[in-house]
Amino acid sequence: QVQVVESGGGLGQAGGSLRLSCEASGRSSTNYDMGWFRQAPGKEREFVAAIIRPGDDIYFADSVKGRFTISRGNAKNTIYLQLNNLKPEDTAVYYCAATILVDRSDATRASKYKVWGQGTQVTVSS
């Protein structure tokens, strides 16, 4: 069973940048589709970005498109979420998730991800 652990995050300023990392470990940890989701206080968990095999196709939520980037490290078991041009509304707990998708159109659906990290807090001040 694969496990994922997030790192990074913290406090950022509006217009600034932060980087989150997510490392997958365990059996076949390099063979998973990976995604980032976030949950702000009082709100539902929402999709942020995903990187999907084969070929590492990338998906973004409209709210972060053009500001965030997602990439996979050379070791393939680590992904990164670069948060640029931060906004106060980006404040949330960010979760990394892993799965093996049958239908890549499910990349944005939290219910399709089987393994979740503990989350890392991102707070953006105005």
Side-chain angles (χ1 to χ4, degrees), residues 44-84:
E44 294 186 353
R45 191 170 299 189
E46 65 174 3
F47 169 76
V48 176
I51 187 163
I52 305 300
R53 305 164 303 116
D56 284 348
D57 290 344
I58 289 173
Y59 300 79
F60 287 108
D62 289 342
S63 59
V64 305
K65 199 172 294 182
R67 300 189 299 120
F68 291 8
T69 63
I70 186 172
S71 60
R72 194 185 294 268
N74 290 334
K76 303 299 182 183
N77 67 327
T78 301
I79 63 168
Y80 304 97
L81 185 69
Q82 179 70 35
L83 293 66
N84 298 321

